[in-house]
Amino acid sequence: MSLDGHALTPPPGSRADWTIDQDWAAYSPGEHQVWMTLYQRQAAQLPGRACDAFLNGLAALDLDRGGIPDFNQINAELGRLTGWSVVAVPGLVPDAVFFEHLANRRFPAGRFIRGPEQLDYLQEPDVFHDVFGHVPMLTDPTFADYMEAYGRGGLRALNQGQLHNLARLYWYTVEFGLLDTPQGLRIYGAGIVSSHAESRFALDDPSPNRLGFDLERLMRTPYRIDDFQQVYFVIRSLRALLDATLQDFGPVYQRLAEAHDVPIAAIKATDRVLTRGTQAYALARN
Ligand code: PHE
Ligand code: FE
């Protein structure tokens, strides 16, 4: 999502809502090859790691037709399943524009793809992160409703100057969320499923804390954008996530204004601890 709160005008060539054509025919063979390399690595690694909603969505959307998918083809199936669509944007868009799209069941996706020398790390979300990472979950009816509700909540938080806490909810759920299942922990966050290394680290590494989802506790927790997460929040079900966010956040924001942030690697007496992390990875990097 955009971290940019300024009211900017769209760049030349973009529509008023910042969308552009995907221009699928303009991708080069090398760009399609990058998609296929990334797709195959993750498709091989994610069974038993990503949650069923993600894996089912990935299969339903048929994102492996031999290269970067054509948004028109995705949208035919996605629209039928949950009424969502993917729209191309030139890069990060202002928060208000981003939320407005989500509130209308449109997911803004970058159309560019990383270069072959950047398979593992890039700063701006590209089409692989945005489409492979985010779009499969949008085939799930409950998650689809959550994302629309987030868009509406984002517009509201923006008007009230409360985006700070709400952005953490996006980060620790949509981007880096884990789900508890009878078979074990599974990934649903787009930032994890689209990362070859973090899709192992998030589940297997002894370093990070894994804590039960608690809305206000999570909203008090800062996050890092430059490295693997030091804490993951684990939901019991997608339905439980949606239910926890149906309440009016007005009183939540009021309470948060009085509360201190929780240090990123802290564990509180009230936390439901799934893993007490060693933080060895983070300590070695600092
Ligand atoms: N219930 C939130 C509010 O009142 C909206 C919201 C829903 C925010 C889902 C995030 C996710 O603002
Ligand atoms: Fe993302």
Side-chain angles (χ1 to χ4, degrees):
M1 77 187 281
S2 163
L3 303 169
D4 179 340
H6 306 283
L8 301 170
T9 47
S14 306
R15 299 179 192 95
D17 68 357
W18 286 67
T19 61
I20 53 178
D21 288 331
Q22 185 194 11
D23 199 7
W24 186 82
Y27 291 118
S28 69
E31 288 175 319
H32 285 301
Q33 186 55 54
V34 170
W35 174 281
M36 286 190 282
T37 303
L38 291 167
Y39 184 98
Q40 279 152 19
R41 277 199 324 178
Q42 285 312 81
Q45 178 159 265
L46 290 176
R49 294 181 175 273
C51 69
D52 287 345
F54 179 89
L55 294 171
N56 293 339
L58 191 63
L61 294 174
D62 197 8
L63 296 180
D64 190 24
R65 295 175 212 238
I68 300 167
D70 182 338
F71 293 180
N72 292 323
Q73 285 177 1
I74 295 179
N75 288 343
E77 183 62 12
L78 185 57
R80 200 181 63 71
L81 289 169
T82 57
W84 272 80
S85 66
V86 183
V87 292
V89 290
L92 294 178
V93 301
D95 293 320
V97 175
F98 182 73
F99 296 142
E100 186 71 31
H101 281 299
L102 295 188
N104 290 285
R105 295 195 169 230
R106 294 187 299 265
F107 190 80
R111 71 174 175 187
F112 77 98
I113 191 149
R114 68 195 74 180
E117 73 295 339
Q118 285 185 296
L119 291 188
D120 293 306
Y121 183 77
L122 78 168
Q123 239 147 15
E124 259 197 80
D126 70 343
V127 66
F128 186 75
H129 168 78
D130 280 337
V131 172
F132 182 95
H134 285 282
V135 176
M137 287 302 293
L138 296 173
T139 65
D140 180 89
T142 306
F143 194 81
D145 287 351
Y146 174 67
M147 287 290 275
E148 180 194 331
Y150 190 95
R152 277 189 272 109
L155 289 170
R156 202 174 153 220
L158 194 59
N159 288 329
Q160 299 172 359
Q162 302 288 2
L163 214 50
H164 178 63
N165 295 115
L166 191 68
R168 292 171 172 175
L169 178 62
Y170 191 90
W171 192 264
Y172 281 121
T173 62
V174 178
E175 294 290 357
F176 292 96
L178 297 180
L179 168 71
D180 210 357
T181 79
Q183 290 76 40
L185 293 187
R186 294 291 184 270
I187 306 161
Y188 71 94
I192 311 178
V193 288
S194 64
S195 162
H196 192 58
E198 196 154 0
S199 50
R200 276 177 278 128
F201 179 89
L203 294 180
D204 300 346
D205 201 279
S207 187
N209 297 332
R210 298 178 185 86
L211 306 176
F213 175 92
D214 175 294
L215 181 73
E216 291 183 35
R217 197 291 189 203
L218 178 159
M219 284 183 161
R220 291 167 58 196
T221 311
Y223 56 82
R224 49 191 311 163
I225 59 169
D226 58 334
D227 208 332
F228 298 148
Q229 299 306 302
Q230 290 182 248
V231 55
Y232 298 94
F233 290 95
V234 181
I235 58 170
R236 294 180 193 271
S237 68
L238 295 171
R239 183 70 232 178
L241 173 63
L242 180 59
D243 286 347
T245 54
L246 289 177
Q247 64 179 298
D248 178 3
F249 282 11
V252 173
Y253 295 142
Q254 267 174 15
R255 287 193 291 275
L256 291 172
E258 314 283 300
H260 292 287
D261 277 0
V262 179
I264 194 161
I267 294 186
K268 297 175 64 70
T270 44
D271 288 334
R272 186 167 66 89
V273 181
L274 288 95
T275 307
R276 187 174 293 271
T278 62
Q279 298 298 329
Y281 174 84
L283 290 170
R285 303 271 290 189
N286 284 337

